[in-house]
DNA sequence: CGGGACGTTGACGGTCGTCAAAATTAGTGG
DNA sequence: CCACTAATTTTGACGACCGTCAACGTCCCG
C-alpha cells in the first residue's frame, strides 16, 4: 500500500479489510459462477486460480502468494469466471468491492492503487501469453522457476531455494504442458546441474544458466 | 457507456474524450517504453497490440476494434509495456488518464465502468491463456474466427462474413502458431467445407461445424 | 502394512515447426 | 497501364518436440 496517507485514511482502509478468513488446504475461496462481492488479499498461504475449459478440464490461470490479490475477474459480470483454491492452509482478507469503490472515490492514493493492481494483472497475463505462445518446455519451466524465486525473494525468502506448493499437474496446466513433460524437463535441468530437485523442494544451483535458458531466444 | 447519467455528467465525460486522433495504417499509437498518459478508445479502424519477447521478436497480445480500449497495460508502471499499431486507417479518442481518475471519483457510474473495462480485459486474457495452453491448431483458429465474427456481429456486421485486417503472421503470433500452420489450417477448414477463404476475406459456411471443433474438447 | 495420490521413465506417434520452393498478391516506378 | 520487385501466402518434405500410453517407483496417510 502506498505511503503518504493520513492516519484517518489509513484507519478507514484498515476498517475496510477487517474481515479475515482462514482457508484450509484444498478449500475453495470461490468457484466459477459464484456471485462477486469481494476482492481477496492473500495474507499467508498459497492459492491457484483455475477455470474450466468446456469439458470439465481445468486450466490453471495463476498462482498467488502473500500480498497478492484474487478476484479481479469477477468485476465485469458480477460473478466469478474462475475458481480460487488454497494450495496450503491460508489466511486471507476479504474486501467488499462496493465499499472499496466508495472509499477509493475519497482517497486518491487508494483509487490509483486499485488501478495499478488491475493493470499489473493485465501485464502479468501478457507475460504468460508470451510464454505460452512462443517458448518451449525448458524455457517455460525456467521462466516459471525464476518468477517464483523472484516473488519469494521479495518476501524475504531465499532466492535460490524454494518449495513448490503445487503439483506437477498444476505446473503443467499453467505452462500448457503435460505432467510427463514437466517431469522430464525437471530431470534435464537436474542433469545439466542447474537445479537440484527433491520432490517439491527445488534448489537453484546455477542462476545464470537458468536465466540463459530464457535468453536463448535472444540469439535467434 | 452505461445509462442513467445526468446531462451534466455526460457533458463532462464528453469533454474528457474530446481529443480525437487519426492514425494511418502501420503507424504506432504508442510503443513499449513510451510514457503512459492516455487510454485510447478505438472509434474506427483496427489495431493490434504486441510486445517484444527479448530478442526483437514480437508477440501479438490482442486485436482491438471499434469501441474497445487500448493502453491499460501502462497504468502500473507509468509507461507502456507493449506497442499499439493500426492495421488500417483508424480514428481514436485519447483520454488523459489522470483526468479520467479525477472524473471517476465524482461519477460513480464512470468509476464502475472503468473497473469493468479492466476486469473484462483480465477475463479476455484468461480465455487466451486457455486457448494457448490447451487447444490444438484447428481449435485455436476456430476459436479465433468465432470470436472475431461475434465481435463484428455485435457491431452490426454479418456474422458469417468477415475481412481479416491482420496478416497470417499476426494471427499466428497471437495464436502461438507459425504462419505455415495457419495457412494449412485454413486450407483444412476450407476442404472440410466449413469456411471459404479468399485472401483476407473469410466466409463462414457452417457455423455449427466451426463451433463443434472447439467443443470436441468436451468429448474427452 | 497397504492403498492411493503423485512423480518418473521409456517407447512410440502425432502435431506442429523448419526449410525450401512455388504461387499469388501488393507495391513501385517508368 | 504495365513491368518488375518485394511481400505474403501456399504447399510439400522432413524432423523435433511434446503428447500419449504404459509401467514402475515413491511418498503419504490411514
Amino acid at each position: 500500500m502506498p505511503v503518504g496517507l493520513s492516519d484517518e485514511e489509513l484507519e478507514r482502509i484498515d476498517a475496510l479489510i477487517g474481515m479475515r478468513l482462514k482457508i484450509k488446504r484444498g478449500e475453495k475461496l470461490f468457484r466459477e459462477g459464484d456471485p462477486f462481492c469481494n476482492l481477496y488479499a492473500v495474507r499467508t498461504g498459497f492459492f491457484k486460480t483455475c477455470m474450466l475449459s468446456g469439458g470439465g478440464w481445468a486450466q490453471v490461470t495463476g498462482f498467488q502468494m502473500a500480498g497478492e490479490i484474487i478476484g479481479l475477474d469477477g468485476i465485469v459480470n458480477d460473478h466469478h469466471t474462475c475458481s480460487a483454491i488454497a494450495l496450503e492452509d491460508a489466511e486471507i482478507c476479504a474486501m467488499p468491492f462496493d465499499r472499496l469503490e466508495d472509499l477509493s472515490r475519497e482517497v486518491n492514493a487508494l483509487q490509483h492503487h486499485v488501478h495499478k493492481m488491475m493493470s499489473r494483472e493485465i501485464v502479468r497475463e501478457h507475460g504468460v501469453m508470451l510464454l505460452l505462445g512462443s517458448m518451449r518446455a525448458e524455457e517455460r519451466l525456467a521462466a516459471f522457476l525464476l518468477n517464483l524465486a523472484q516473488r519469494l525473494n521479495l518476501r524475504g525468502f531465499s532466492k535460490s531455494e524454494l518449495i513448490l506448493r503445487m503439483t506437477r499437474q498444476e505446473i503443467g496446466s499453467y505452462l500448457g504442458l503435460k505432467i510427463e513433460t514437466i517431469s522430464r524437463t525437471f530431470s534435464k535441468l537436474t542433469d545439466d546441474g542447474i537445479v537440484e530437485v527433491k520432490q517439491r523442494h527445488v534448489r537453484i544451483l546455477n542462476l545464470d544458466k537458468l536465466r540463459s535458458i530464457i535468453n536463448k531466444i535472444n540469439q535467434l
Side-chain angles (χ1 to χ4, degrees), chain A:
Chain A
M1 189 57 66
V3 291
L5 294 170
S6 72
D7 288 351
E8 188 242 346
E9 286 171 342
L10 279 174
E11 207 172 294
R12 295 180 66 186
I13 293 174
D14 230 39
L16 180 73
I17 61 175
M19 193 169 150
R20 297 188 182 173
L21 296 175
K22 285 187 190 296
I23 307 278
K24 284 217 170 295
R25 177 177 167 207
E27 283 181 2
K28 289 187 177 166
L29 188 53
F30 54 79
R31 65 191 70 198
E32 34 243 295
D34 280 1
F36 166 74
C37 312
N38 302 307
L39 294 182
Y40 302 94
V42 181
R43 291 186 59 80
T44 63
F46 209 93
F47 283 82
K48 70 169 174 180
T49 49
C50 52
M51 61 193 300
L52 297 179
S53 73
W57 195 213
Q59 162 94 15
V60 175
T61 56
F63 297 105
Q64 295 81 24
M65 57 179 75
E68 297 176 333
I69 302 295
I70 307 180
L72 296 171
D73 62 282
I75 299 171
V76 63
N77 295 125
D78 288 317
H79 63 80
H80 289 285
T81 59
C82 63
S83 300
I85 300 172
L87 296 179
E88 57 179 1
D89 292 358
E91 210 183 317
I92 55 101
C93 291
M95 303 178 284
F97 186 65
D98 49 3
R99 286 173 53 199
L100 185 63
E101 283 190 326
D102 290 344
L103 192 51
S104 77
R105 252 179 270 123
E106 297 171 30
V107 183
N108 291 16
L110 179 62
Q111 180 196 34
H112 199 58
H113 187 71
V114 170
H115 291 156
K116 284 198 172 192
M117 276 180 355
M118 302 186 78
S119 178
R120 182 177 302 118
E121 177 67 7
I122 290 170
V123 171
R124 181 190 74 82
E125 293 187 1
H126 281 173
V128 177
M129 287 172 62
L130 198 104
L131 182 145
L132 292 172
S134 65
M135 289 189 184
R136 293 177 311 135
E138 201 182 359
E139 296 161 355
R140 294 186 198 189
L141 190 58
F144 174 72
L145 290 175
L146 287 170
N147 177 271
L148 267 190
Q150 191 222 334
R151 283 154 69 196
L152 287 168
N153 192 36
L154 282 176
R155 287 161 180 78
F157 296 95
S158 162
K159 77 172 76 176
S160 65
E161 211 161 340
L162 55 123
I163 294 177
L164 302 173
R165 303 300 179 179
M166 68 294 283
T167 66
R168 304 282 195 267
Q169 180 92 267
E170 287 158 345
I171 297 173
S173 174
Y174 182 61
L175 298 179
L177 299 168
K178 294 293 156 182
I179 182 175
E180 296 94 330
T181 304
I182 298 294
S183 186
R184 265 185 263 272
T185 309
F186 266 127
S187 299
K188 180 168 188 316
L189 291 179
T190 303
D191 291 347
D192 294 349
I194 296 173
V195 300
E196 193 178 87
V197 183
K198 273 187 188 153
Q199 319 198 181
R200 298 198 177 177
H201 192 108
V202 176
R203 181 198 298 267
I204 298 174
L205 298 174
N206 193 329
L207 194 60
D208 289 339
K209 263 194 184 175
L210 194 59
R211 289 215 183 93
S212 75
I213 289 175
I214 300 174
N215 293 113
K216 272 182 190 170
I217 308 173
N218 287 357
Q219 297 157 17
L220 295 180

